[in-house]
Amino acid sequence: MDRVALRGLKARGHHGVFPREREEGQTFIVDLVLGLDTRPAAADDDLAKTVHYGVVAEEVVDVVQGEPVDLIETLAERIAQQCLKHAGVQEVEVVVHKPDAPITVPFDDVTITITRSRA
């Protein structure tokens, strides 16, 4: 399986369990690796035979900016399901970064990584 990766998609969302997170929002960063067969697109040099990563990026940002959820696990699942709606995408790895998580000790980042595929 071939891979198309999008790294560092940034969007502001209002996800989290604390009222402050819901009210003020924060930046979330998303990394994606889409698994698909790119041979048909490469053979015909045809965008319609692959995944349009620009469209995927916009959809992911819409999910992050959309309906708030408590957990980044839920957010990652929603992103994965959106990516799998694209016919050519057979598998997706989603990493959601929450660099401004409300943690009381110094830290660099909080992430969740999930992998989902067509059943």
Side-chain angles (χ1 to χ4, degrees):
M1 193 171 309
D2 303 319
R3 306 274 183 224
V4 173
L6 290 92
R7 306 260 189 231
L9 297 171
K10 293 180 184 175
R12 190 158 187 85
H14 293 266
H15 312 289
V17 296
F18 297 112
R20 181 173 167 223
E21 293 178 291
R22 292 295 183 101
E23 293 165 12
E24 296 176 16
Q26 60 193 291
T27 299
F28 292 84
I29 302 166
V30 178
D31 301 325
L32 300 173
V33 179
L34 307 170
L36 63 153
D37 183 357
T38 63
R39 289 175 292 192
D44 295 336
D45 199 28
D46 186 353
L47 177 61
K49 294 182 178 180
T50 188
V51 63
H52 190 309
Y53 50 80
V55 171
V56 172
E58 292 171 358
E59 292 171 350
V60 168
V61 166
D62 287 345
V63 171
V64 174
Q65 293 175 338
E67 181 184 348
V69 296
D70 287 344
L71 303 177
I72 59 173
E73 291 86 344
T74 306
L75 181 59
E77 185 66 35
R78 287 184 178 180
I79 292 168
Q81 294 308 314
Q82 181 62 45
C83 292
L84 288 171
K85 288 180 181 179
H86 292 267
V89 176
Q90 298 300 308
E91 182 179 89
V92 61
E93 179 184 273
V94 178
V95 181
V96 175
H97 301 257
K98 189 174 178 181
D100 299 321
I103 297 175
T104 60
V105 298
F107 74 103
D108 289 330
D109 200 4
V110 172
T111 66
I112 176 75
T113 302
I114 66 169
T115 302
R116 299 293 182 264
S117 59
R118 294 186 183 277

